[in-house]
Amino acid sequence: MTKYIFITGGVVSSLGKGIVAASLGRLFVSRGFKVSTQKFDPYINVDPGTMSPYQHGEVFVCDDGAETDLDLGHYERFLDKNLSRINNVTSGSVYQTVIEKERRGEYLGATVQMIPHITEEIKSRIRNAQAKDNPDILIVEIGGTVGDIEGLPFIEAIRQFKIEQGISNSMSLHVTLLPYLNTSGELKTKPTQHSVNVLRSYGIQPEMLVLRTQVPVDKNEKDKIALFCSVNKDCVIECKDMKSIYEVPLYLENQGICDRVCEILNIEKRKPDLSSWTELVERIHNPEKEINIAIAGKYTSLNDAYLSVVESLHHAGFKTNTKINIKWIASDDVKNQNQAGKLLENVHGVIVPGGFGQRGVEGKLEIVRYARENNIPYLGLCLGMQCAVIEFARNVAGLKDANSEEFDKDTEFKVVHLMENQKNIKNLGATMRIGAFPCKLNKLSKSYSVYKTEDISERHRHRYEFNNEYKDILAKKGLLIAGTSPDGELVEIIENPKNNWFVAAQFHPEFKSRPDNPHPLFLGFVEAAIDMSKSK
Ligand code: GLN
């Protein structure tokens, strides 16, 4: 029988509830339990696919093509499990389903209301996630902060769900902030008390609190919080800021979080096997060398916009005992080779990640050119591959002003273009080539040498494609088509064999990297960058 843990957040958003949820999941996985996770996002967008990365950070893509909240990335990485659209629920998708049902007359004349219709739909989403793989434990995280108007239907739905499941089959865990006042040198507990009061006013008494804090919380403070929030003393757990998010599971484990959850939910206690995770954290703390990697993008002022790219780099760093320093380059600022050269001084590898729209593209092309001409290891991701093709077409094949149709509809040389079947699409939401697609690797490629297999599957999210009309022209000039769709129709990876590492993929390998199992393309790239750092 599945047990449910509902995670809410208090005081402020961006507390790292997702990391707490993922860490708790990891601790149960390491005890041999089957765990699944679900994220509720109370905003009205049907999915985050059309939201600006400035608003929402990266859009994480699952195998089934779901465009989801970045917390699903944390869940996949911590639990080492692939998730799907069932695991991310937005208010928008709930309202959409309810309104469609209403239009079909399925409510048989009833007045359609927040309670029971919206709350029923939310509960049915929890049941769907449960039915998908019948986990021992389903962890459900409610986005936003308790007290937000748009989160109310979700809170009411979990209140009802808890009652329906019966005592000791579900619990509520509230993650909250203890602000630290520098001037008086104190941690303040009042916002937490208020936040728990708000949760209680909705009919939910949390069984456990996780306190986010900059500094350790002493026992007196914890006991005081327990008393005023009506939570058992040993269920007040501290979660201090850590150097690496991958330390969080061990930090929580040391406070007995899992055993407490087992007591609350009446689950047999088991000993965890955390040996490989502990070894991972050891590696994270003891790197033997460092390298500098530049990421040239247009959303560089918000690191979360490229979260999975950054995590994937670190994963490759863990494996090679290397600390990776990231240098953000705002591509709009790069106007010529001189500037590119200055920005790439002391840089051992360059990534151009995914992106949409024309802004910053010319700067990215300067960066790609400098990397190619100076043999700096290059990894292109989606738009980063399209830029590599455009740059090669212009500067090696001499196709003047070659471009992608996305950025210049009138160019003579559309080396990246819209495929026929994409041309009539009007809606922007959920209309891209998206989700996992198979790819066949060229045995002569670097990609093959790192994947060590010919058939791979990777996740996509884009509209435009390599234009096959230019395949032979560019190949003659030295571009290697390293991977294509199995029918050969779609170019999925290109390489420049002249360089030590110049590999660019139309897909997003960053969505499949795991902390203890880095993605081959990131590992190959980081190893090349390490070589570069030795020679530079
Ligand atoms: N804008 C490009 C396209 O739509 C690349 C998308 C991406 O990098 N995810 O094809």
Side-chain angles (χ1 to χ4, degrees):
M1 188 183 168
T2 302
K3 305 278 184 171
Y4 299 86
I5 304 173
F6 295 104
I7 300 190
T8 51
V11 184
V12 293
S13 58
S14 307
L15 273 178
K17 290 192 298 290
I19 304 288
V20 172
S23 299
L24 192 55
R26 177 78 231 178
L27 294 176
F28 277 103
V29 167
S30 65
R31 286 167 161 80
F33 289 102
K34 191 165 158 192
V35 180
S36 194
T37 41
Q38 191 172 36
K39 172 85 194 275
F40 287 161
D41 281 310
Y43 51 71
I44 312 291
N45 304 59
V46 172
D47 61 43
T50 52
M51 279 160 94
S52 158
Y54 285 126
Q55 293 266 323
H56 198 256
E58 147 188 292
V59 175
F60 188 81
V61 179
C62 297
D63 272 345
D64 69 345
E67 297 176 275
T68 72
D69 184 74
L70 51 77
D71 275 324
L72 266 80
H74 291 310
Y75 302 163
E76 285 204 352
R77 291 187 280 267
F78 277 69
L79 270 63
D80 192 18
K81 176 183 172 115
N82 288 340
L83 299 170
S84 72
R85 63 183 72 254
I86 279 185
N87 303 93
N88 194 189
V89 177
T90 63
S91 289
S93 75
V94 169
Y95 293 144
Q96 192 178 43
T97 307
V98 170
I99 289 170
E100 280 167 3
K101 271 192 188 168
E102 185 273 335
R103 293 288 84 185
R104 289 196 299 270
E106 287 182 30
Y107 293 114
L108 306 175
T111 308
V112 180
Q113 292 180 299
M114 205 58 100
I115 304 170
H117 302 97
I118 295 290
T119 45
E120 267 313 314
E121 179 58 29
I122 295 172
K123 287 191 285 178
S124 84
R125 302 292 181 100
I126 306 175
R127 288 191 284 267
N128 289 348
Q130 189 281 333
K132 187 181 155 209
D133 57 359
N134 192 20
D136 300 313
I137 294 157
L138 178 62
I139 301 175
V140 181
E141 177 195 345
I142 294 106
T145 310
V146 161
D148 295 347
I149 291 176
E150 55 187 13
L152 280 174
F154 290 97
I155 304 278
E156 169 60 12
I158 63 170
R159 186 194 67 77
Q160 294 181 11
F161 196 88
K162 275 183 85 175
I163 299 294
E164 287 163 5
Q165 292 303 307
I167 286 179
S168 84
N169 291 325
S170 82
M171 64 172 278
S172 150
L173 184 164
H174 192 55
V175 183
T176 146
L177 177 73
L178 291 195
Y180 179 73
L181 294 189
N182 261 330
T183 40
S184 57
E186 299 174 276
L187 276 170
K188 302 307 274 183
T189 65
K190 198 60 72 61
T192 293
Q193 296 177 40
H194 282 302
S195 167
V196 171
N197 273 343
V198 173
L199 197 53
R200 282 215 214 108
S201 73
Y202 301 146
I204 294 179
Q205 166 64 52
E207 281 86 359
M208 183 174 273
L209 297 177
V210 170
L211 310 175
R212 293 281 297 109
T213 160
Q214 280 172 276
V215 295
V217 189
D218 69 30
K219 186 161 179 319
N220 286 343
E221 290 298 308
K222 282 192 194 163
D223 289 355
K224 179 171 144 194
I225 293 168
L227 183 65
F228 291 118
C229 297
S230 305
V231 173
N232 272 341
K233 282 182 185 171
D234 55 3
C235 290
V236 178
I237 309 281
E238 173 205 307
C239 186
K240 167 166 89 63
D241 295 348
M242 305 267 140
K243 264 207 204 130
S244 160
I245 54 172
Y246 300 108
E247 289 174 63
V248 176
L250 301 180
Y251 196 77
L252 297 178
E253 173 68 21
N254 285 341
Q255 296 175 72
I257 192 170
C258 259
D259 287 346
R260 299 294 85 75
V261 170
C262 289
E263 286 156 11
I264 295 165
L265 293 178
N266 205 6
I267 303 172
E268 57 167 310
K269 285 186 194 167
R270 296 183 191 163
K271 277 218 159 348
D273 177 3
L274 284 164
S275 48
S276 62
W277 202 268
T278 310
E279 194 200 308
L280 176 78
V281 173
E282 290 278 305
R283 278 172 178 278
I284 296 175
H285 284 311
N286 300 298
E288 292 160 1
K289 47 195 175 298
E290 348 190 341
I291 55 171
N292 305 322
I293 300 293
I295 302 181
K298 82 172 178 186
Y299 312 110
T300 45
S301 56
L302 182 78
N303 298 2
D304 270 2
Y306 303 108
L307 183 71
S308 293
V309 176
V310 172
E311 290 307 311
S312 303
L313 277 172
H314 289 311
H315 302 163
F318 305 156
K319 178 96 179 178
T320 52
N321 296 312
T322 308
K323 177 165 182 268
I324 312 250
N325 305 315
I326 292 175
K327 173 171 182 173
W328 295 100
I329 295 180
S331 53
D332 321 60
D333 300 344
V334 193
K335 305 286 181 229
N336 52 44
Q337 283 301 281
N338 213 348
Q339 282 180 346
K342 281 209 181 92
L343 288 164
L344 295 181
E345 223 179 327
N346 294 321
V347 161
H348 310 116
V350 180
I351 290 185
V352 172
F356 293 83
Q358 222 245 317
R359 180 167 74 76
V361 167
E362 290 300 319
K364 287 175 192 169
L365 296 173
E366 294 292 346
I367 293 285
V368 177
R369 178 175 195 170
Y370 192 89
R372 180 181 57 76
E373 290 183 347
N374 294 279
N375 201 5
I376 302 176
Y378 177 74
L379 180 63
L381 309 171
C382 204
L383 178 63
M385 173 183 121
Q386 299 174 354
C387 285
V389 172
I390 297 167
E391 192 280 322
F392 191 90
R394 285 188 192 176
N395 301 321
V396 180
L399 306 177
K400 194 168 172 290
D401 297 331
N403 216 327
S404 162
E405 197 175 349
E406 183 180 5
F407 313 130
D408 181 1
K409 296 219 167 356
D410 305 320
T411 174
E412 194 184 341
F413 307 112
K414 286 181 191 151
V415 288
V416 175
H417 71 159
L418 212 51
M419 304 282 281
E420 276 310 311
N421 55 8
Q422 286 273 4
K423 282 193 178 152
N424 295 321
I425 290 173
K426 298 261 173 339
N427 277 351
L428 278 187
T431 51
M432 288 186 264
R433 177 145 86 99
I434 191 148
F437 288 86
C439 167
K440 207 163 197 69
L441 298 179
N442 179 337
K443 283 197 154 178
L444 301 172
S445 66
K446 288 233 167 56
S447 300
Y448 176 79
S449 75
V450 291
Y451 275 100
K452 300 187 175 69
T453 172
E454 231 179 314
D455 297 298
I456 59 166
S457 165
E458 292 285 359
R459 299 180 189 174
H460 291 246
R461 181 173 183 253
H462 56 101
R463 290 199 171 78
Y464 297 84
E465 305 279 352
F466 182 103
N467 184 347
N468 286 334
E469 269 178 50
Y470 293 93
K471 222 179 191 171
D472 291 341
I473 302 171
L474 299 181
K476 265 197 203 110
K477 294 285 178 185
L479 195 78
L480 179 73
I481 306 297
T484 64
S485 53
D487 63 5
E489 278 305 303
L490 299 165
V491 171
E492 308 284 45
I493 309 180
I494 59 109
E495 294 182 9
N496 190 331
K498 275 202 185 132
N499 285 24
N500 290 348
W501 182 275
F502 191 104
V503 179
Q506 186 56 78
F507 49 81
H508 290 274
E510 68 269 25
F511 294 140
K512 289 186 65 171
S513 183
R514 300 282 156 93
D516 45 358
N517 188 16
H519 191 283
L521 291 185
F522 278 88
L523 189 57
F525 167 69
V526 163
E527 280 169 347
I530 293 170
D531 286 345
M532 168 102 193
S533 75
K534 285 180 189 153
S535 63
K536 215 175 181 178

